[in-house]
Each structure stands twice: as structure tokens, then as C-alpha cells.
Amino acid sequence: MSSPVFMKIFQQAEKTFSNRNRDSYKTNFALLKKLVDKLVYSDLNLNPFLFSKKAFLVKNKAPCTFVNIYEKLDGPFSMSIFIIDENYKMPLHDHPNMTGMLKVISGKLKAECYTQIPTDKENGRLEKIVRVEQPKILSETSEAAVLYPDNCNFHELTALEGPAAFFDILSPPYSDISDTTPDARHCSFFKKEKIMVDNNGSNPTVKLTQIPVPDHYYCDSVYYDQPDFMR
């Protein structure tokens, strides 16, 4: 059974991302983050084995485990968990026009984040110029990291000193893969082409070029038995 902490998080997420509560969005978002900051993996009623080194020694195990906690067709938000193997780096990807929270619930994670800089030199979604943000080391005791449509919306994540797991909330969620409309929110992957610095040698920026999903990135999926309050 999931804990009262997670029930409060889910209920607050419904309130935060509902169109009915637009006028109080900032207040509700801050309340949601305070709740997510306290989340630990035991609140989600998952098998502890999933977070262990032994879980990744299973033959043909993917470097990443995905748990779909909550996603509703055309819903305002999604919740999920990713568990990544020790020293594995989840490749650089984006969250187009999305807001999110990322909370480490097991292990230690290095988060390398980038913020898009609007420029006339961009080639649609194929090329981006981004500002390099200060890397963060996140653990179970860290606050949730937050990404916004215009800040820290690209990242790559590496598990340190063992497997690492994080819970995330995205609003709005990624679009269905079949959605081909111009405003569709699909996850794109990128490689860093060129690092540039200003005359003082600081404020580095990077040119990103979109690439196909890297061959090394694939996930096993684990079923999540949703508690009654989510149904």
C-alpha cells in the first residue's frame, strides 16, 4: 500500500495542474514541491530489489528500468520512476514546453542540465544552442530538481556509486507517439557538437544536434499496481 505522503502528492498534483486552478498555480506548485521533497521509495510500495545492484546482474537486463506510475490520455500530468544502472548515463534529451520535478528516491545521481538560448541560428528541433548550467549531485536527501519550459529543460543523468532511481512529474506529459501536430511534445535526443565560451572564458554554451535514440538506451518496464486513490 502506498503511503499517505504519496497520496497527498498525487492529490496536490491534480490540484496544481488542473485548469480550474490557474489563478493559484504558483502557490499550488510550491506546495507540491514541498511534498515531493519528502518522497522516499518506500512511499511508493515498490519491491526494494528493483533498486539493488543485483537487479542489474540479471541476464539481458536493460540499463534502465521504467515504472509508469500514472498517465491518463489527454491528462494534465504524468508520473513515473526511472532506475538506472551504476555509471550509466541517460542520454541528453529535452522536455519541450514542459514543467517537471525530479526527485531522487534511491542512490545518487549526477544531473547535467542545459537551458535553451533562443537564436536565429537554430534549425527547428534539429539544432539548439543551450547554456551549460552548474551540474548537481542529487541524493535521497536532496530537494526535488525542477525544470521549466525556459530553464533546465535539457538534461543528462548519471548514476553514481551504484544504481540510482528518481521519481518525476511532467506537465503536460509527453505527447502520444502518433501525434504529428506541430505542437506535439516528443522526447528528442541530442549530442553536443561545440562548446563556446565568452571572452572571459565563462558562461559556456553548447550547440546541440538532434540524433536518433541512442542504441545503448532502452528500458525494461515494471508494472505498477496503482492504489485506489489514483483510479
Side-chain angles (χ1 to χ4, degrees), residues 2 6-7 9-15 17-18 44 46 66-82 98 166-174 222-231:
S2 297
F6 182 54
M7 181 173 68
I9 289 172
F10 182 77
Q11 292 171 342
Q12 184 62 38
E14 287 189 307
K15 185 176 181 180
F17 300 117
S18 170
L44 294 152
L46 289 165
F66 171 71
V67 187
N68 183 7
I69 300 294
Y70 177 82
E71 187 166 8
K72 189 176 181 180
L73 184 63
D74 297 325
F77 68 94
S78 63
M79 294 178 167
S80 58
I81 290 173
F82 289 88
M98 300 158 75
F166 64 90
F167 167 86
D168 70 11
I169 303 176
L170 294 175
S171 178
Y174 285 114
V222 171
Y223 172 75
Y224 183 68
D225 186 13
Q226 291 182 338
D228 291 341
F229 63 79
M230 299 181 73
R231 296 172 182 156

Side-chain angles (χ1 to χ4, degrees), residues 20-183:
R20 298 190 303 270
N21 299 317
R22 287 181 179 178
D23 291 343
S24 55
Y25 175 78
K26 288 185 178 180
T27 299
N28 283 322
F29 189 86
L31 291 173
L32 176 61
K33 184 181 178 300
K34 285 185 179 180
L35 291 170
V36 174
D37 286 344
K38 300 175 183 178
L39 186 71
V40 296
Y41 81 82
S42 57
D43 289 320
L44 294 152
N45 194 32
L46 289 165
N47 185 347
F49 178 77
L50 294 172
F51 307 96
S52 69
K53 289 187 177 182
K54 288 184 177 180
F56 286 92
L57 297 178
V58 176
K59 187 177 180 180
N60 298 323
K61 175 74 181 76
C64 178
T65 301
F66 171 71
V67 187
N68 183 7
I69 300 294
Y70 177 82
E71 187 166 8
K72 189 176 181 180
L73 184 63
D74 297 325
F77 68 94
S78 63
M79 294 178 167
S80 58
I81 290 173
F82 289 88
I83 310 167
I84 54 180
D85 197 6
E86 182 177 14
N87 296 323
Y88 181 73
K89 178 178 284 190
M90 181 179 286
L92 179 59
H93 60 281
D94 66 349
H95 308 80
N97 299 312
M98 300 158 75
T99 298
M101 295 184 190
L102 183 158
K103 175 65 172 72
V104 172
I105 57 173
S106 179
K108 185 182 294 185
L109 195 72
K110 181 180 181 181
E112 298 172 85
C113 301
Y114 307 85
T115 296
Q116 185 173 348
I117 301 173
T119 170
D120 294 337
K121 296 180 181 180
E122 291 178 5
N123 179 16
R125 287 179 61 83
L126 300 180
E127 293 183 0
K128 304 290 182 185
I129 304 298
V130 297
R131 181 178 68 246
V132 181
E133 305 293 350
Q134 186 68 29
K136 295 180 180 180
I137 304 299
L138 304 173
S139 69
E140 300 165 64
T141 59
S142 303
E143 293 184 0
V146 180
L147 60 90
Y148 299 99
D150 59 355
N151 191 48
C152 293
N153 216 261
F154 298 71
H155 63 206
E156 49 191 343
L157 307 166
T158 306
L160 305 176
E161 303 172 15
F166 64 90
F167 167 86
D168 70 11
I169 303 176
L170 294 175
S171 178
Y174 285 114
S175 301
D176 187 89
I177 194 170
S178 63
D179 188 346
T180 59
T181 61
D183 295 330

